[in-house]
Amino acid sequence: MKKIAFLFCVVIALTSCKNSQEDFVIEDAEPQKPIVDFGFHYDEFNVHYDTIQSQDTFERILKKQNLNGRKAADIIRIVKDSFSTSVRFERPYVCLRSKDKYHKLQYLIYQPTRLDYYLIDLTDSIIGYKKTRPLTFKVRTVAGELTGSLTQTLRSMKIEPTLSGRLTKVFAWSIDFFKSRKGDKFALSFTERYINDTVYDGVDSLRAAFFEYKGEKIYAFPFAQERNGKTDYYDENGKALKNFFLKAPLKFVNITSHFTKNRFHPVQLIWKAHKGTDYAAPTGTPIMTTAAGVVEQAGYTTGNGNFVKVKHDKTYSTQYLHMSRILVRRGQRVKQGDIIGKVGSTGLASGPHVCYRFWKNGVQVDALKLKLPNSQTMEGRNLPRYKEIIRPLKRELDSVAEVTFRKKSK
């Protein structure tokens, strides 16, 4: 057991050295300082770190360790019932070898995932183990102000920046994040995963959040109604945050032209109505359909350039103009948020942007001024249970925010 515990610590030590691409850095060198644990010293072994290459098999890895083909085959035959002997490209493994001139393999550790690792013990008889390291979850509640983009702000607070993508999805129907400003306040409560209680493994779930937007606090709490068991996000009153339509077809962009009856056209150089909203973004930026529906048109005209029109129901349709690429076809069914094309400047366009047009009952209207329906409402029978669940979460958010902003105001 001491030896297994020692090897377990070796794997943990390795995973703590990670970069943005890999779970940990592989070095084909002896460690600078021996790791001492449970009475075993790292320097008792000749240690070799490596990663699975494209042509590697379990047998080939064993053969690299001065084992002949028959011995390697015997090892695989014995351990195959304990774990899978297939290997994954670019996953790490560690060889612990004797320190004499023969460098005889004593232990082989292969880590197919961050949580699981396989161990082959060759010191006496051949034994194979599969081990899963325990996960623990820790709650973290923070409050802050935007100092730049949401991603930059979270990074400065030592929060995994990928949480920003989750937050923008949750609030996509309520907040135009490209209109958010420095100083806008927010509070978040989320769980983080830790392997073996010490090795950070990322954000697991969002428990609660609020953002101050245009002078109003917008809360978000996850909740599964009894009707279908699907988790959606709701505000403090049980109103669904998810709407029938997204606020915009792009993420983190700028509005350069609004819906208006009279605008000077930058290409035609005449005054005319502009029946859409222009969102500027670099060429190639993904364009999302703002609601589910069926692609009614997908093609090219001189004025529109590459465009897509989506029919959502008997009442609403949307259109997306000036694409560099169209990624859907006529008649195709699309879900809300699906990528239907890429930003471009085809047709009558002075620069890369998407002109977003909106129809209600066959008439083009201003999407930014239209009051749109929620996609799902809270059933009355669920509301008491929901209020009971969110009460301590809301209190926690408000308390942390009050303490944080009081300190900043001093």
Side-chain angles (χ1 to χ4, degrees):
M1 289 299 294
K2 287 186 176 181
K3 293 180 179 178
I4 292 173
F6 159 68
L7 290 167
F8 183 74
C9 293
V10 170
V11 177
I12 291 175
L14 293 172
T15 56
S16 66
C17 302
K18 63 178 182 177
N19 58 24
S20 60
Q21 300 295 321
E22 299 293 337
D23 291 340
F24 60 84
V25 177
I26 301 299
E27 299 177 282
D28 190 9
E30 294 283 345
Q32 301 243 340
K33 294 181 181 179
I35 297 173
V36 182
D37 257 319
F38 302 104
F40 287 86
H41 293 256
Y42 215 162
D43 59 6
E44 290 181 353
F45 302 96
N46 172 275
V47 183
H48 172 76
Y49 310 107
D50 212 335
T51 51
I52 306 297
Q53 303 303 310
S54 59
Q55 301 301 316
D56 276 342
T57 62
F58 218 99
E59 184 174 5
R60 182 171 294 181
I61 292 168
L62 291 170
K63 286 180 178 179
K64 289 180 182 178
Q65 304 303 316
N66 298 324
L67 295 172
N68 60 40
R70 183 174 178 180
K71 182 67 173 177
D74 286 343
I75 293 172
I76 292 173
R77 176 177 54 80
I78 292 171
V79 303
K80 68 179 182 180
D81 292 333
S82 301
F83 52 77
S84 171
T85 53
S86 61
V87 293
R88 292 172 54 193
F89 179 53
E90 291 191 341
R91 298 307 303 167
Y93 66 92
V94 186
C95 297
L96 301 181
R97 308 179 295 200
S98 63
K99 296 200 70 175
D100 56 25
K101 64 180 180 180
Y102 301 108
H103 286 179
K104 183 179 178 182
L105 181 64
Q106 296 182 319
Y107 300 96
L108 174 66
I109 306 164
Y110 164 57
Q111 188 183 2
T113 69
R114 286 181 62 85
L115 285 180
D116 300 324
Y117 70 95
Y118 298 152
L119 167 66
I120 296 178
D121 181 347
L122 303 174
T123 54
D124 294 316
S125 58
I126 299 169
I127 305 174
Y129 305 90
K130 179 181 179 180
K131 298 289 183 181
T132 298
R133 298 184 293 169
L135 267 180
T136 54
F137 300 89
K138 300 180 182 181
V139 172
R140 187 175 173 193
T141 303
V142 300
E145 298 180 4
L146 290 179
T147 55
S149 71
L150 180 57
T151 299
Q152 291 169 336
T153 302
L154 294 181
R155 185 179 286 114
S156 69
M157 297 172 69
K158 301 189 184 309
I159 299 172
E160 186 177 297
T162 56
L163 181 59
S164 66
R166 195 173 306 188
L167 289 165
T168 55
K169 286 181 180 179
V170 169
F171 288 98
W173 299 269
S174 309
I175 297 175
D176 289 334
F177 275 98
F178 50 85
K179 286 185 177 179
S180 57
R181 297 173 296 181
K182 288 184 179 181
D184 285 352
K185 296 179 174 61
F186 63 89
L188 314 170
S189 183
F190 52 95
T191 57
E192 296 177 302
R193 298 184 303 273
Y194 285 84
I195 298 173
N196 233 47
D197 206 39
T198 56
V199 181
Y200 179 74
D201 193 47
V203 172
D204 184 71
S205 62
L206 178 65
R207 301 173 68 236
F210 79 68
F211 276 86
E212 285 190 4
Y213 181 66
K214 295 184 177 180
E216 178 187 359
K217 270 187 183 180
I218 302 176
Y219 287 87
F221 302 97
F223 182 72
Q225 297 200 63
E226 293 175 357
R227 179 174 56 190
N228 55 18
K230 180 184 176 184
T231 298
D232 283 308
Y233 284 83
Y234 302 85
D235 69 9
E236 74 274 25
N237 298 313
K239 180 182 176 183
L241 292 186
K242 185 175 182 179
N243 290 330
F244 187 31
F245 285 89
L246 294 173
K247 282 283 188 179
L250 302 178
K251 295 180 179 179
F252 305 109
V253 291
N254 294 315
I255 295 177
T256 53
S257 184
H258 289 265
F259 187 100
T260 178
K261 292 182 180 179
N262 199 21
R263 181 195 72 156
F264 188 73
H265 196 283
V267 177
Q268 294 177 310
L269 303 179
I270 58 173
W271 291 90
K272 60 185 294 189
H274 182 243
K275 297 183 178 181
T277 305
D278 288 349
Y279 294 88
T283 299
T285 301
I287 299 171
M288 303 177 294
T289 178
T290 54
V294 177
V295 177
E296 189 175 31
Q297 293 177 290
Y300 180 89
T301 64
T302 302
N304 295 341
N306 295 320
F307 75 97
V308 170
K309 188 174 184 181
V310 179
K311 185 175 180 63
H312 304 291
D313 58 16
K314 293 181 180 180
T315 304
Y316 300 108
S317 297
T318 55
Q319 191 177 29
Y320 313 80
L321 312 183
H322 310 305
M323 295 178 170
S324 60
R325 288 181 62 196
I326 296 173
L327 300 178
V328 291
R329 63 185 184 280
R330 185 177 179 181
Q332 180 177 336
R333 184 167 293 278
V334 291
K335 301 190 296 294
Q336 186 180 62
D338 279 354
I339 305 303
I340 58 174
K342 299 292 183 70
V343 168
S345 51
T346 57
L348 295 177
S350 59
H353 73 286
V354 57
C355 178
Y356 176 55
R357 301 196 170 195
F358 201 104
W359 278 262
K360 180 179 180 181
N361 295 320
V363 177
Q364 290 194 63
V365 295
D366 186 349
L368 297 181
K369 293 182 179 179
L370 194 64
K371 191 172 183 179
L372 296 167
N374 289 338
S375 63
Q376 185 178 13
T377 57
M378 174 78 69
E379 293 180 352
R381 62 178 179 174
N382 288 309
L383 195 56
R385 180 167 63 94
Y386 174 75
K387 289 288 186 74
E388 188 67 24
I389 289 172
I390 71 166
R391 188 176 294 113
L393 292 171
K394 183 176 183 298
R395 185 166 56 243
E396 186 178 344
L397 286 179
D398 293 341
S399 175
V400 171
E402 182 181 358
V403 171
T404 300
F405 301 135
R406 187 193 309 139
K407 286 180 180 178
K408 288 187 175 182
S409 64
K410 290 181 179 180

